[in-house]
Amino acid sequence: DVDNVLVQRCVLQTISCGSALEIGHELRTPSVRNITFRDCDILAVHGHGAAISIRNGDRALVEHIRYEDIRIEHYYARLFDFRVIRSRYSRDIERGQIRGVLLKDIRVRQSIYNPGYSISTIGSYDERHTITGVVFENVYLDETHVTSAQQLDLFVRDAPDVSFR
């Protein structure tokens, strides 16, 4: 199991692919929990990765994940991407779950190229392999406080308790 991990005061940039702050894809363990990303700067995410992502492609229960005090300067395809999936990297037959994700005090700088192109996704695999308890608290796009999925161009599949504060 993976438990009690703190990632802090990092400066990150991806060039051609990959995500900046990611948990996943290969999660062939019973649980990944109590993970905190704090006080990090994402300079750029180029290609088709996400600035912040959890992509659970195997059996793990991923829970109690915190992203706090994160600054995002540039992203291209995806801002947030949380999914329980079957991917080309999956080895387990069983899919997992994602529970309890807090995104707090996130500041995102948008470019003129983000609106209408960049998206965010939250998607469960099926009714047993779900994503629950995603909270966006004090998330800002430039100077605008995010209070709805529409502001993030967020597409949600079978994850009914996504909330904004």
Side-chain angles (χ1 to χ4, degrees):
D1 292 340
V2 178
D3 193 7
N4 291 318
V5 176
L6 173 62
V7 177
Q8 67 180 1
R9 293 188 299 271
C10 295
V11 178
L12 303 138
Q13 176 174 316
T14 69
I15 300 299
S16 61
C17 63
S19 295
L21 296 175
E22 179 174 47
I23 298 172
H25 285 85
E26 303 90 343
L27 297 177
R28 292 182 285 279
T29 186
S31 66
V32 175
R33 62 172 47 109
N34 303 312
I35 312 297
T36 300
F37 297 92
R38 180 184 301 135
D39 190 19
C40 293
D41 290 287
I42 299 172
L43 300 180
V45 178
H46 299 287
H48 298 288
I52 295 175
S53 67
I54 303 171
R55 296 179 182 136
N56 190 352
D58 287 297
R59 70 181 183 276
L61 168 60
V62 178
E63 63 181 346
H64 309 301
I65 310 301
R66 297 177 66 93
Y67 298 90
E68 304 175 9
D69 192 22
I70 308 293
R71 293 156 303 280
I72 302 167
E73 290 295 317
H74 172 74
Y75 63 101
Y76 185 65
R78 295 180 193 270
L79 180 54
F80 304 108
D81 187 15
F82 304 134
R83 292 183 288 155
V84 177
I85 58 174
R86 182 177 180 281
S87 79
R88 63 184 169 173
Y89 306 109
S90 297
R91 297 294 179 264
D92 289 337
I93 294 170
E94 185 69 23
R95 301 282 70 83
Q97 295 181 331
I98 299 171
R99 289 192 235 165
V101 178
L102 175 64
L103 298 113
K104 182 177 180 182
D105 301 328
I106 311 290
R107 291 273 186 185
V108 180
R109 184 169 171 246
Q110 288 199 292
S111 80
I112 60 171
Y113 304 105
N114 293 127
Y117 182 81
S118 302
I119 65 169
S120 293
T121 54
I122 298 176
S124 296
Y125 185 74
D126 60 26
E127 65 280 347
R128 287 187 26 237
H129 306 96
T130 59
I131 298 176
T132 57
V134 177
V135 176
F136 293 87
E137 182 177 328
N138 295 327
V139 174
Y140 285 84
L141 295 175
D142 293 321
E143 298 305 314
T144 303
H145 182 220
V146 174
T147 58
S148 71
Q150 187 167 345
Q151 288 172 282
L152 293 175
D153 287 327
L154 174 61
F155 294 85
V156 178
R157 175 181 157 189
D158 298 326
D161 63 342
V162 175
S163 63
F164 297 85
R165 301 181 195 156

